[in-house]
Amino acid sequence: MYKINENYLKLPGSYLFSTIGKKVREYSEANPDREIIRLGIGDVTQPIAPAIIQAMHKAVDEMGVQESFRGYAPDLGYEFLRNAISECDYKARGCEIAADEIFVSDGAKCDSGNIQEIFSVDNKIAVCDPVYPVYVDTNVMAGRTGTYNPDTGMWSDVIYMPCTMENGFSPDLPAETPDIIYLCFPNNPTGSTITKDRLQEWVDYANQSGAVIIYDAAYEAYIAEDDVPHSIYECEGARTCAIELKSFSKNAGFTGVRLGYTVIPKELKCGDVSLHALWARRHGTKYNGAPYIVQRAGEAVYSAEGKKQLKAQVAYYMNNAKVIYEGLKSAGYTVSGGVNAPYIWLKTPEKMTSWEFFDFLLERANVVGTPGSGFGPSGEGYFRLTAFGTYENTAKAIERIKAL
Ligand code: PLP
């Protein structure tokens, strides 16, 4: 008789977005005349930029011609894309990342979920609290997290690093030494960032303690301030302790197109074993590459025209962030994020729980956001709004909240 992977049964169930959906549906059915504005889920709303669409059309046409047809893509991704990434995302910022240290994929969710496979099940992970849930849940599936305590919302074998107003939403070095450290900056859900000096401390800590950092830079394009690093490889010594994950979802609107990449420097070794070699083996065995058409679309992200159009798109969302941030502040809310990230993180008023505030906002302003407690115990008492809506809806939502 076969057996299932029982670790899956330990997962407490992802109630966050399904509960939000259910509550919104029920409210809509009971109040069909109300117009609900959704500033909850982190999906983009603006169409793909013209330079990218043009590149995709061209690639589609190439696929219909014998001479330019392409079958399976190279395991690690096409050179044209990996060269563009290496030049524009790294060398242009003074980071020495070679094209062959870049693994093209279909997005950062898969990579952030799959990367734990190359590590022993005995490793102890450390995560920020609140956190993007994929890091924890995929380690639960692998059997690395111990037992779940429904009262605290915590796993016995996970090191939680609280990120609250008190520490500026930037985690302190943990008291217990972890093996694998997940960091994400600019952060989802808090919208906070880390300075280069502070990230350097993490890199030094990882090198000294023999830990590896998995650095999720999915929101890098939203960085506006000078002292915020765009890549962990801006820090000295990161090549021996850090893996970096990137996505085209939020900088180029590829949430539906799907493209991302992982960087593993060749110097990153566990004893004599190269993590680059392990991931190359994993990638080659289990993955057959992002589509040629999509990789050409990714290449266009780095063209002069593409860069210009995407700068405007990011500015559009960041204008929404400003509208939310300033609107809430003027209404007396305690707000953070929204300066280098498309997420605004607010303290719920009058000691409401995150879910109480969710209901309050839905019923009184017909605005949907995300309860902070859904991202981890330290998110309780906080609430996330995203800047990914249309400007019109964002402005309308904030006017409604201000009028409460
Ligand atoms: N990493 C973080 C922190 C995210 O918030 C998200 C999406 O919301 C992802 C990764 C997923 O990115 P992708 O669309 O490339 O899978």
Side-chain angles (χ1 to χ4, degrees):
M1 180 67 184
Y2 65 88
K3 291 184 182 148
I4 53 150
N5 175 354
E6 294 204 353
N7 293 318
Y8 276 65
L9 303 181
K10 297 183 193 163
L11 288 165
S14 178
Y15 294 123
L16 182 62
F17 289 106
S18 59
T19 308
I20 292 174
K22 184 164 171 276
K23 278 176 178 271
V24 174
R25 234 178 359 264
E26 284 170 4
Y27 181 82
S28 278
E29 278 161 20
N31 303 276
D33 54 322
R34 300 289 172 86
E35 182 215 20
I36 292 172
I37 300 177
R38 290 175 171 79
L39 300 182
I41 295 175
D43 200 357
V44 295
T45 51
Q46 295 303 295
I48 303 287
I52 296 166
I53 291 294
Q54 211 177 355
M56 287 174 94
H57 277 302
K58 184 163 172 280
V60 168
D61 288 341
E62 284 176 44
M63 291 299 247
V65 176
Q66 183 74 64
E67 290 70 32
S68 50
F69 166 78
R70 314 273 182 133
Y72 289 124
D75 280 352
L76 272 57
Y78 283 103
E79 288 234 341
F80 61 77
L81 178 58
R82 293 157 72 211
N83 285 336
I85 292 169
S86 165
E87 288 300 324
C88 301
D89 285 350
Y90 294 103
K91 290 188 180 149
R93 296 204 181 101
C95 306
E96 270 313 310
I97 294 294
D100 67 358
E101 295 176 312
I102 295 161
F103 297 78
V104 174
S105 72
D106 59 359
K109 186 176 194 175
C110 306
D111 286 352
S112 63
N114 291 329
I115 195 74
Q116 48 76 31
E117 267 188 51
I118 62 170
F119 299 103
S120 161
V121 76
D122 300 335
N123 284 313
K124 195 149 198 179
I125 67 161
V127 294
C128 291
D129 171 24
V131 69
Y132 177 57
V134 174
Y135 314 147
V136 177
D137 286 0
T138 52
N139 278 286
V140 174
M141 293 167 176
R144 206 175 276 118
T145 56
T147 50
Y148 184 68
N149 180 339
D151 297 328
T152 60
M154 289 171 152
W155 293 89
S156 60
D157 293 352
V158 172
I159 298 170
Y160 291 88
M161 305 183 291
C163 296
T164 58
M165 210 147 53
E166 288 68 39
N167 61 10
F169 304 102
S170 170
D172 299 318
L173 295 176
E176 182 187 352
T177 308
D179 301 302
I180 302 171
I181 302 163
Y182 287 85
L183 293 178
C184 169
F185 291 105
N187 188 261
N188 175 21
T190 66
S192 65
T193 45
I194 193 163
T195 62
K196 191 169 161 190
D197 289 349
R198 186 87 182 113
L199 188 57
Q200 183 67 56
E201 284 176 33
W202 278 97
V203 168
D204 294 344
Y205 172 76
N207 276 322
Q208 280 154 19
S209 61
V212 62
I213 297 175
I214 297 172
Y215 193 74
D216 187 339
Y219 296 94
E220 172 274 319
Y222 291 85
I223 293 171
E225 292 180 327
D226 286 341
D227 63 344
V228 179
H230 288 254
S231 162
I232 196 166
Y233 303 114
E234 288 179 34
C235 296
E236 222 166 291
R239 287 184 57 87
T240 53
C241 70
I243 292 173
E244 184 160 283
L245 313 174
K246 285 289 291 284
S247 166
F248 287 75
S249 286
K250 312 297 162 95
N251 66 328
F254 279 29
T255 53
V257 175
R258 309 304 309 146
L259 193 64
Y261 65 85
T262 288
V263 178
I264 307 191
K266 297 242 175 90
E267 283 103 302
L268 183 49
K269 290 189 176 159
C270 182
D272 295 336
V273 181
S274 149
L275 297 193
H276 182 281
L278 292 189
W279 189 243
R281 183 64 214 242
R282 194 256 169 216
H283 219 57
T285 303
K286 289 198 178 182
Y287 187 62
N288 249 342
Y292 173 71
I293 296 159
V294 173
Q295 293 198 46
R296 280 292 184 202
E299 183 190 27
V301 165
Y302 299 101
S303 67
E305 208 45 33
K307 280 184 188 161
K308 198 168 110 196
Q309 291 165 4
L310 293 178
K311 203 170 158 199
Q313 205 168 73
V314 167
Y316 175 92
Y317 291 131
M318 288 314 280
N319 183 50
N320 289 348
K322 196 167 166 205
V323 167
I324 300 172
Y325 185 96
E326 289 180 356
L328 292 176
K329 223 168 174 123
S330 74
Y333 286 88
T334 304
V335 207
S336 60
V339 178
N340 297 292
Y343 295 119
I344 287 85
W345 190 242
L346 61 118
K347 188 96 195 77
T348 58
E350 292 160 24
K351 296 202 163 59
M352 280 189 214
T353 66
S354 300
W355 276 110
E356 282 167 355
F357 187 68
F358 174 90
D359 291 333
F360 172 76
L361 219 55
L362 174 62
E363 286 160 23
R364 300 279 298 278
N366 305 147
V367 172
V368 180
T370 312
S373 55
F375 297 101
S378 295
E380 181 57 275
Y382 291 93
F383 200 76
R384 190 190 77 174
L385 291 174
T386 92
F388 287 127
T390 62
Y391 171 75
E392 293 73 20
N393 277 345
T394 304
K396 206 191 288 184
I398 295 308
E399 282 315 309
R400 287 187 197 166
I401 296 173
K402 279 163 73 176
L404 286 175

